[in-house]
Amino acid sequence: MRSLLVLIVVAACSHPASAPSNVASAWKGPEILAAVPADTPYAIAVLDPMPAAVRDQLLAQSGTQIRKALEKAAGREGKGAKLAAVMLHHLEGVPDARWLDAFGFSGDTRFVIYGLSVWPVMRVEVKDRAKVQKLLDEVMTVADVGAIAKRPDDRHIVFMQGEKVSFVVALLDHELVAAMVPGDKLTQLMPVIDGTEKPQQSLRESPVLPSMMAKHRFLSTMILFADFQRGLDAMTGHGHGQYDNLDTMFAGLITPPCEADIGRIVSVMPRVVLGYRKLDEHGFTATMAVEAPASLIKALAKLHTTMPAMPVGTQPLFAMGAAVNLDAALDWMKETTHSLRATPFRCDALASMNHDIDDLASKLDEPLPPMAHGWRGFELVIDDASVMPPGGTGHVLVAADHMADIIHMLLAKLPMTAALQVPATGAAVALPVDQLGVPGIKSAHLALQPTKAALAIGDNSAARATARLSAPDAHAPLMSLSYDLPKVRERFGMFLKDSDLDSFSTMGSTSLALDVGDDGIYVDMVGTWAHGR
């Protein structure tokens, strides 16, 4: 798996990313972006409030988790326990869905985390400045950082200055700012941190964010991006950003061989962008876009094959599928590994990848049995399943060039199915489930065509096997996965701790899909909220 990831990352290492869409420069973002330089290498920003129903549900969940974590921490000893006790005191009598208000913020608070070059800064809108000031005072007192902290009262700033790195917390009129900056540049950066000195061009005025949102069809609720090429240029001294002079302390840390190798990797995925395409009281669609060069997109698109679209009826307990031409994938992997072996990594930190690539290339060069060729895709759908009593319903659909021949060969190897006649006409044939000794399964049918096979289990298995086999081909993602979390907890809760899925308690059905688009590699996460079931 590690070697395969390496291949995807470095397969087209000499090609630039696609150019972003043109968006009118008249776009104006929220005021909190006014201090963010347009050339920041990364940012995560909440630009617009999410729908109230979604906000309240997510805040209630996070508030419950935060309260539990603080209660656990407060039961221990040391400064951490004292800090947790301070936070808990502010939460007394406050509903979990209003925990941000308890600390002086709003549920509709905008925030942004970004880089002054690569140095991180966070800005958060403040609702009740007095509450935030009180909390900050109490935290600083309990943490006992008075010996290393300085606080100019005129700007309400606390900073802990070090020789190499300084930490700054600034409570302004409408924002709380936290930053980590080079220690010798603290004085120079204070006007930048407190907002009195603005960047040459801010992210509020720049077309960077609207270009991303238009290109990937994202809502303005939240967006995250990481420009790896900008970050690498800044850290290696080749950047021309306004604040790239802050990165001089990294000079020489990345050797020329490592810079070249990392540059090869970065050129394949110069920027990653995350955002929402849908977010409402019914559910969400969150997407990660890995912007990639045209050569890599074209190569991965050739791996795609057609499969029937997954059934869109009742959300199954679990489902997964793939629409990948295995022969084409193997050929691409062989070509890529051979190319990488010809130009191995020279960076010491990446040297182990050369061994992984050698091992993978050797295995790929081994001849495969004829049965291993011609596979084009599959889908596995488990509608439901139970442990006690054992049982379940679902189906499997598999596509390959010689699927009927493969199934006939497999059936002939089992004594209980050796005499079974399954014609490749699409007609469903009952399997001898009693002889197979599978408890809880009363009905199972198999249907064949020359290039497809469908196996269905449960009520109406005959009709289901026939229907899936005859379903028309469509565009299916390269890979997909879906599951119903409430149903998983209900059916298999005895094997799980309550804490295992606490973070997903608000989520209902969820699906993940990996596919290739015109501008990159996309991972879509589509889900519903548990309360909507």
Side-chain angles (χ1 to χ4, degrees):
M1 176 59 72
R2 179 181 174 186
S3 299
L4 182 57
L5 291 175
V6 172
L7 291 178
I8 294 175
V9 169
V10 300
C13 58
S14 62
H15 300 276
S18 303
S21 304
N22 291 323
V23 177
S25 58
W27 181 81
K28 289 284 186 180
E31 178 64 29
I32 199 167
L33 298 179
V36 182
D39 61 9
T40 177
Y42 58 89
I44 175 172
V46 171
L47 305 179
D48 288 322
M50 64 180 62
V54 178
R55 175 202 63 202
D56 292 344
Q57 177 169 294
L58 294 180
L59 285 176
Q61 173 192 318
S62 59
T64 300
Q65 294 173 330
I66 288 171
R67 192 185 298 273
K68 288 181 179 179
L70 291 174
E71 288 173 348
K72 184 176 181 180
R76 299 169 181 167
E77 297 181 354
K79 290 183 180 179
K82 293 179 180 179
L83 287 171
V86 167
M87 306 288 278
L88 277 174
H89 177 69
H90 283 262
L91 291 175
E92 287 181 5
V94 177
D96 286 341
R98 302 296 298 274
W99 67 271
L100 279 172
D101 296 76
F103 297 140
F105 305 99
S106 165
D108 290 331
T109 290
R110 293 179 176 88
F111 78 86
V112 59
I113 299 173
Y114 62 97
L116 292 176
S117 193
V118 300
W119 294 87
V121 181
M122 178 180 71
R123 311 186 85 91
V124 185
E125 288 181 340
V126 169
K127 177 183 178 182
D128 188 328
R129 191 180 184 284
K131 280 187 178 181
V132 178
Q133 181 69 67
K134 181 179 179 182
L135 177 63
L136 182 61
D137 289 342
E138 292 175 356
V139 167
M140 296 299 293
T141 300
V142 171
D144 191 23
V145 296
I148 58 174
K150 300 179 182 179
R151 179 173 177 169
D153 289 335
D154 58 336
R155 295 300 301 165
H156 304 281
I157 293 174
V158 175
F159 60 85
M160 290 165 280
Q161 188 169 8
E163 182 178 348
K164 292 186 176 181
V165 178
S166 292
F167 298 90
V168 181
V169 179
L171 179 57
L172 310 178
D173 291 338
H174 304 291
E175 291 180 356
L176 177 68
V177 186
M180 182 173 72
V181 297
D184 61 345
K185 300 291 196 304
L186 178 61
T187 301
Q188 169 191 340
L189 291 174
M190 287 308 297
V192 178
I193 293 170
D194 69 21
T196 55
E197 180 181 311
K198 302 297 184 183
Q200 294 171 356
Q201 185 183 30
S202 75
L203 204 57
R204 185 182 186 217
E205 302 162 336
S206 165
V208 170
L209 289 182
S211 294
M212 291 180 191
M213 290 185 286
K215 181 177 183 179
H216 302 297
R217 306 190 308 279
F218 288 161
L219 302 175
S220 60
T221 306
M222 185 278 287
I223 191 166
L224 180 155
F225 72 87
D227 190 324
F228 299 116
Q229 187 64 61
R230 267 284 298 124
L232 178 63
D233 288 345
M235 294 185 68
T236 55
H238 303 309
H240 301 288
Q242 181 180 357
Y243 300 102
D244 285 358
N245 64 324
L246 301 178
D247 299 333
T248 54
M249 67 180 296
F250 300 114
L253 295 182
I254 302 178
T255 64
C258 288
E259 180 181 340
D261 287 342
I262 296 172
R264 292 168 63 189
I265 297 173
V266 165
S267 68
V268 178
M269 45 181 297
R271 190 167 70 178
V272 174
V273 187
L274 289 85
Y276 285 103
R277 290 178 171 173
K278 172 189 172 184
L279 182 64
D280 58 31
E281 65 274 16
H282 303 295
F284 61 90
T285 299
T287 297
M288 179 178 73
V290 180
E291 297 181 352
S295 57
L296 180 57
I297 293 174
K298 184 177 180 180
L300 292 178
K302 290 180 179 179
L303 309 186
H304 192 274
T305 187
T306 55
M307 284 286 292
M310 283 274 200
V312 293
T314 304
Q315 175 66 28
L317 176 72
F318 175 83
M320 65 183 301
V324 179
N325 184 318
L326 185 57
D327 289 331
L330 291 173
D331 289 342
W332 176 74
M333 292 172 67
K334 287 180 181 179
E335 180 182 348
T336 304
T337 53
H338 290 164
S339 175
L340 289 171
R341 294 178 88 178
T343 55
F345 292 115
R346 297 182 298 119
C347 177
D348 291 341
L350 301 176
S352 61
M353 289 188 180
N354 293 326
H355 300 296
D356 294 335
I357 292 168
D358 286 341
D359 291 342
L360 180 59
S362 298
K363 293 176 182 178
L364 290 171
D365 286 338
E366 296 175 1
L368 296 174
M371 186 186 299
H373 292 286
W375 295 81
R376 301 195 310 277
F378 76 93
E379 68 178 35
L380 166 66
V381 177
I382 302 174
D383 300 323
D384 208 347
S386 61
V387 179
M388 294 298 293
T393 60
H395 76 267
V396 180
L397 175 68
V398 184
D401 288 347
H402 305 287
M403 195 71 248
D405 295 337
I406 294 171
I407 294 297
H408 286 147
M409 183 179 64
L410 294 175
L411 292 175
K413 291 181 177 295
L414 298 174
M416 64 285 294
T417 59
L420 192 65
Q421 298 296 314
V422 185
T425 60
V429 175
L431 296 179
V433 292
D434 293 337
Q435 297 180 44
L436 292 174
V438 182
I441 297 179
K442 304 302 181 183
S443 176
H445 283 77
L446 176 65
L448 291 181
Q449 289 178 356
T451 60
K452 288 182 181 179
L455 169 66
I457 296 172
D459 296 339
N460 301 315
S461 57
R464 183 168 186 174
T466 301
R468 291 314 298 155
L469 196 69
S470 60
D473 284 338
H475 180 91
L478 284 173
M479 299 185 67
S480 61
L481 172 71
S482 65
Y483 44 88
D484 189 317
L485 281 171
K487 194 180 289 186
V488 169
R489 299 185 77 163
E490 180 182 343
R491 302 294 189 271
F492 303 102
M494 70 286 292
F495 302 112
L496 302 169
K497 298 178 181 178
D498 289 340
S499 58
D500 289 340
L501 296 174
D502 276 352
S503 298
F504 306 99
S505 61
T506 60
M507 295 175 63
S509 60
T510 305
S511 65
L512 297 169
L514 169 66
D515 213 347
V516 179
D518 293 337
D519 297 309
I521 303 163
Y522 289 90
V523 179
D524 291 317
M525 182 176 183
V526 180
T528 62
W529 304 117
H531 70 78
R533 295 171 54 81

CSV table of all heavy atoms in Angstrom, one decimal, residues 16 26 61 122 138 152 180-181 183 207 218-219 287 298 321 329-330 361 384 391 393 401 408 430 461 520:
chain,number,residue,atom,x,y,z
A,16,PRO,N,3.2,20.8,-14.3
A,16,PRO,CA,2.6,21.7,-13.4
A,16,PRO,C,1.1,21.4,-13.2
A,16,PRO,O,0.5,20.7,-14.0
A,16,PRO,CB,2.8,23.1,-14.1
A,16,PRO,CG,2.8,22.7,-15.6
A,16,PRO,CD,3.5,21.3,-15.6
A,26,ALA,N,-13.5,41.5,-8.0
A,26,ALA,CA,-14.3,42.4,-7.1
A,26,ALA,C,-14.8,41.7,-5.9
A,26,ALA,O,-15.5,42.3,-5.0
A,26,ALA,CB,-15.5,42.9,-7.9
A,61,GLN,N,-22.9,18.2,20.0
A,61,GLN,CA,-22.0,17.1,20.0
A,61,GLN,C,-20.7,17.4,20.5
A,61,GLN,O,-20.1,16.8,21.4
A,61,GLN,CB,-21.9,16.4,18.6
A,61,GLN,CG,-20.9,15.3,18.5
A,61,GLN,CD,-20.6,14.9,17.1
A,61,GLN,OE1,-21.5,14.8,16.3
A,61,GLN,NE2,-19.3,14.7,16.8
A,122,MET,N,-3.7,32.2,13.9
A,122,MET,CA,-5.1,31.9,14.0
A,122,MET,C,-5.8,33.2,14.4
A,122,MET,O,-5.4,33.9,15.3
A,122,MET,CB,-5.4,30.8,15.0
A,122,MET,CG,-6.9,30.6,15.2
A,122,MET,SD,-7.3,29.3,16.4
A,122,MET,CE,-6.9,30.1,17.9
A,138,GLU,N,-7.4,34.1,33.5
A,138,GLU,CA,-7.4,32.9,34.4
A,138,GLU,C,-6.5,31.8,33.9
A,138,GLU,O,-5.8,31.2,34.7
A,138,GLU,CB,-8.8,32.4,34.5
A,138,GLU,CG,-9.8,33.3,35.3
A,138,GLU,CD,-11.2,32.8,35.3
A,138,GLU,OE1,-11.5,31.8,34.7
A,138,GLU,OE2,-12.1,33.4,35.9
A,152,PRO,N,1.9,44.0,27.2
A,152,PRO,CA,1.6,45.4,27.1
A,152,PRO,C,0.1,45.7,27.2
A,152,PRO,O,-0.6,45.3,26.3
A,152,PRO,CB,2.2,45.7,25.7
A,152,PRO,CG,3.0,44.5,25.3
A,152,PRO,CD,2.4,43.4,26.0
A,180,MET,N,2.5,31.8,16.1
A,180,MET,CA,3.9,31.3,16.4
A,180,MET,C,4.8,31.9,15.3
A,180,MET,O,4.6,31.7,14.1
A,180,MET,CB,3.9,29.8,16.3
A,180,MET,CG,5.3,29.2,16.7
A,180,MET,SD,5.3,27.4,16.8
A,180,MET,CE,5.1,27.0,15.1
A,181,VAL,N,5.8,32.7,15.8
A,181,VAL,CA,6.6,33.4,14.8
A,181,VAL,C,8.1,33.3,15.2
A,181,VAL,O,8.4,32.9,16.4
A,181,VAL,CB,6.2,34.9,14.8
A,181,VAL,CG1,4.8,35.1,14.3
A,181,VAL,CG2,6.4,35.5,16.2
A,183,GLY,N,11.5,34.0,16.8
A,183,GLY,CA,11.8,34.9,18.0
A,183,GLY,C,12.5,36.2,17.6
A,183,GLY,O,12.1,37.2,18.2
A,207,PRO,N,-8.5,37.0,-5.7
A,207,PRO,CA,-9.4,36.0,-6.3
A,207,PRO,C,-9.0,34.6,-5.9
A,207,PRO,O,-9.6,33.6,-6.4
A,207,PRO,CB,-9.2,36.2,-7.8
A,207,PRO,CG,-7.8,36.8,-7.9
A,207,PRO,CD,-7.6,37.6,-6.6
A,218,PHE,N,-17.5,24.7,-4.6
A,218,PHE,CA,-17.6,24.7,-3.1
A,218,PHE,C,-18.5,25.8,-2.6
A,218,PHE,O,-18.5,26.9,-3.2
A,218,PHE,CB,-16.2,24.8,-2.5
A,218,PHE,CG,-15.4,23.6,-2.6
A,218,PHE,CD1,-14.0,23.7,-2.4
A,218,PHE,CD2,-15.9,22.4,-2.8
A,218,PHE,CE1,-13.2,22.6,-2.5
A,218,PHE,CE2,-15.1,21.2,-2.9
A,218,PHE,CZ,-13.7,21.4,-2.8
A,219,LEU,N,-19.2,25.6,-1.5
A,219,LEU,CA,-19.9,26.6,-0.8
A,219,LEU,C,-18.9,27.5,-0.1
A,219,LEU,O,-17.7,27.1,0.1
A,219,LEU,CB,-20.9,26.0,0.2
A,219,LEU,CG,-21.9,25.1,-0.3
A,219,LEU,CD1,-22.7,24.5,0.8
A,219,LEU,CD2,-22.9,25.8,-1.3
A,287,THR,N,-15.9,17.5,0.0
A,287,THR,CA,-15.1,17.1,-1.1
A,287,THR,C,-13.6,17.5,-0.8
A,287,THR,O,-13.4,18.6,-0.5
A,287,THR,CB,-15.5,17.6,-2.5
A,287,THR,OG1,-16.8,17.1,-2.7
A,287,THR,CG2,-14.6,17.2,-3.6
A,298,LYS,N,-4.9,12.1,-16.9
A,298,LYS,CA,-5.1,11.3,-18.1
A,298,LYS,C,-4.8,9.8,-17.8
A,298,LYS,O,-5.5,8.9,-18.2
A,298,LYS,CB,-4.3,11.8,-19.3
A,298,LYS,CG,-4.6,11.1,-20.6
A,298,LYS,CD,-3.8,11.8,-21.7
A,298,LYS,CE,-4.0,11.1,-23.0
A,298,LYS,NZ,-3.2,11.7,-24.1
A,321,GLY,N,-17.4,-0.8,-3.7
A,321,GLY,CA,-17.3,-1.1,-5.1
A,321,GLY,C,-16.1,-0.5,-5.7
A,321,GLY,O,-15.4,0.4,-5.2
A,329,ALA,N,-4.4,-1.0,-14.7
A,329,ALA,CA,-3.8,-0.5,-13.5
A,329,ALA,C,-2.4,-1.2,-13.3
A,329,ALA,O,-1.4,-0.5,-12.9
A,329,ALA,CB,-4.7,-0.8,-12.3
A,330,LEU,N,-2.3,-2.4,-13.6
A,330,LEU,CA,-1.0,-3.1,-13.4
A,330,LEU,C,0.0,-2.6,-14.4
A,330,LEU,O,1.2,-2.4,-14.1
A,330,LEU,CB,-1.2,-4.6,-13.6
A,330,LEU,CG,-2.0,-5.4,-12.5
A,330,LEU,CD1,-2.2,-6.8,-12.9
A,330,LEU,CD2,-1.2,-5.3,-11.2
A,361,ALA,N,8.2,-3.4,-7.8
A,361,ALA,CA,8.5,-3.6,-9.2
A,361,ALA,C,8.8,-5.1,-9.5
A,361,ALA,O,8.4,-5.7,-10.5
A,361,ALA,CB,9.7,-2.7,-9.6
A,384,ASP,N,-28.3,-5.8,5.4
A,384,ASP,CA,-28.4,-5.9,6.8
A,384,ASP,C,-27.7,-7.2,7.2
A,384,ASP,O,-27.5,-8.1,6.4
A,384,ASP,CB,-29.8,-6.0,7.3
A,384,ASP,CG,-30.0,-5.4,8.7
A,384,ASP,OD1,-29.0,-5.3,9.4
A,384,ASP,OD2,-31.2,-5.2,9.1
A,391,GLY,N,-27.2,-14.1,10.3
A,391,GLY,CA,-27.9,-14.0,9.1
A,391,GLY,C,-27.7,-12.7,8.4
A,391,GLY,O,-26.9,-11.8,8.9
A,393,THR,N,-28.7,-10.2,4.5
A,393,THR,CA,-29.1,-10.1,3.1
A,393,THR,C,-28.2,-9.2,2.3
A,393,THR,O,-27.6,-8.2,2.9
A,393,THR,CB,-30.6,-9.5,3.0
A,393,THR,OG1,-30.6,-8.2,3.6
A,393,THR,CG2,-31.5,-10.4,3.7
A,401,ASP,N,-13.5,-10.4,-17.9
A,401,ASP,CA,-13.6,-10.8,-19.3
A,401,ASP,C,-14.2,-12.3,-19.4
A,401,ASP,O,-15.0,-12.6,-20.3
A,401,ASP,CB,-12.3,-10.7,-20.0
A,401,ASP,CG,-11.9,-9.3,-20.3
A,401,ASP,OD1,-12.7,-8.4,-20.2
A,401,ASP,OD2,-10.7,-9.1,-20.6
A,408,HIS,N,-17.7,-21.2,-13.3
A,408,HIS,CA,-17.9,-22.6,-13.5
A,408,HIS,C,-16.7,-23.4,-13.0
A,408,HIS,O,-16.9,-24.5,-12.4
A,408,HIS,CB,-18.0,-22.9,-15.0
A,408,HIS,CG,-19.3,-22.4,-15.6
A,408,HIS,ND1,-19.5,-21.9,-16.9
A,408,HIS,CD2,-20.6,-22.4,-15.0
A,408,HIS,CE1,-20.7,-21.6,-17.1
A,408,HIS,NE2,-21.4,-21.9,-16.0
A,430,ALA,N,-30.8,-21.4,-8.1
A,430,ALA,CA,-30.7,-21.5,-6.6
A,430,ALA,C,-29.5,-22.3,-6.2
A,430,ALA,O,-29.2,-23.3,-6.8
A,430,ALA,CB,-32.0,-22.2,-6.1
A,461,SER,N,-34.0,-13.3,-3.5
A,461,SER,CA,-32.6,-13.4,-4.1
A,461,SER,C,-32.6,-13.7,-5.5
A,461,SER,O,-31.7,-13.2,-6.2
A,461,SER,CB,-31.8,-14.4,-3.3
A,461,SER,OG,-32.4,-15.7,-3.3
A,520,GLY,N,-8.5,17.2,-11.3
A,520,GLY,CA,-7.8,16.6,-10.3
A,520,GLY,C,-8.4,15.3,-9.8
A,520,GLY,O,-9.3,14.7,-10.5
